[in-house]
Amino acid sequence: LKLDDASQRKIKDYITHLFTGRRIMAKELNFLKQLPDSLKKEVDLAEVWLHVQKLSVLSEINKEDIRQICDEAETMDLLAETTLCTAGVEARCAYIVVSGHVNARDIHKKPRELIGHPLIIDEACLEKEEQVLSHLTVITASTCRVIRVGKLKFAQVVGMNLSKKRQDLLALSERPNQIEMKESIKDVNSGVMAAPGAAAAAVMSA
């Protein structure tokens, strides 16, 4: 079976990712295998809870709802070069990058540095019923373990019942960013549309 170099690199990276995790957790995994299924689920839930609780949107949500959000969250191991979100496109889920590396660019394709551990991407979409656009294009640079929290399922759990104070603070912090994003999209689209016209004018003047 022959694969191109890029595919081989992805496979090696993925295998290393799995091996490293299992080596670190070898003793724990052997122990967990002996647990009944109900307790295994509790252990998995506790691992998700450890990271999901970092979401600032959960500060006003009770533990019962957070537990349900953790139940609904999806944990995945993603290959390198997997797109998590695209700048200017509606964000329909938030990502928590538990391990691995990602690259980020803004809508003008300029590199941006993401800071934090774990990295949290597009959390703002969980706080609003209306459409929220991603600020960045984020692509995995290595195999990554991520937790995905879907906006729809999140809303079904919490009912978007955030306090008036938090909604007001959110409006102040997010509205300028969303307006700026929409203006940037217009600029990018104008540039794309203008390019053919400029080329045609150059040909005519020649």
Side-chain angles (χ1 to χ4, degrees):
L1 182 63
K2 292 185 177 181
L3 297 172
D4 58 53
D5 291 342
S7 295
Q8 290 185 45
R9 285 195 299 272
K10 288 182 184 179
I11 292 171
K12 290 178 181 177
D13 184 57
Y14 188 79
I15 292 173
T16 300
H17 167 81
L18 294 179
F19 175 75
T20 302
R22 288 174 180 171
R23 181 179 61 190
I24 293 171
M25 297 285 291
K27 293 181 180 180
E28 290 86 349
L29 286 174
N30 288 331
F31 171 72
L32 291 175
K33 288 179 181 178
Q34 309 304 319
L35 295 176
D37 290 340
S38 59
L39 289 180
K40 287 180 184 177
K41 184 176 180 180
E42 288 299 318
V43 172
D44 291 339
L45 180 65
E47 183 180 0
V48 174
W49 187 303
L50 177 67
H51 301 292
V52 168
Q53 68 178 345
K54 304 290 179 64
L55 294 171
S56 61
V57 69
L58 299 183
S59 62
E60 298 182 352
I61 297 175
N62 62 55
K63 288 186 177 181
E64 184 179 341
D65 285 345
I66 294 176
R67 180 187 176 90
Q68 190 173 345
I69 290 166
C70 290
D71 275 334
E72 298 286 353
E74 185 179 2
T75 301
M76 304 174 290
D77 291 305
L78 300 179
L79 290 172
E81 300 179 22
T82 300
T83 300
L84 300 182
C85 59
T86 303
V89 175
E90 181 183 1
R92 297 185 178 182
C93 59
Y95 287 98
I96 303 171
V97 182
V98 177
S99 64
H101 304 282
V102 301
N103 291 326
R105 293 180 179 274
D106 63 20
I107 196 166
H108 300 293
K109 300 184 178 181
K110 294 180 180 179
R112 298 295 181 185
E113 183 179 2
L114 297 179
I115 300 174
H117 184 76
L119 289 176
I120 299 176
I121 300 166
D122 280 341
E123 180 182 3
C125 78
L126 301 179
E127 303 216 38
K128 292 183 175 183
E129 291 185 73
E130 61 265 30
Q131 183 186 73
V132 174
L133 305 180
S134 295
H135 295 167
L136 301 170
T137 295
V138 181
I139 301 174
T140 58
S142 67
T143 299
C144 292
R145 168 153 286 203
V146 304
I147 298 172
R148 181 168 62 187
V149 181
K151 177 174 182 172
L152 179 59
K153 290 184 177 179
F154 183 88
Q156 289 171 343
V157 173
V158 305
M160 293 307 216
N161 292 323
L162 302 175
S163 71
K164 181 67 166 58
K165 179 180 178 181
R166 184 158 182 81
Q167 289 181 23
D168 291 343
L169 288 173
L170 182 67
L172 288 173
S173 63
E174 283 298 319
R175 188 177 296 123
N177 289 335
Q178 289 295 300
I179 293 174
E180 181 181 351
M181 174 58 63
K182 290 174 182 177
E183 290 299 320
S184 295
I185 292 172
K186 289 180 182 178
D187 291 342
V188 170
N189 290 339
S190 297
V192 171
M193 294 178 65
V203 170
M204 291 179 66
S205 61

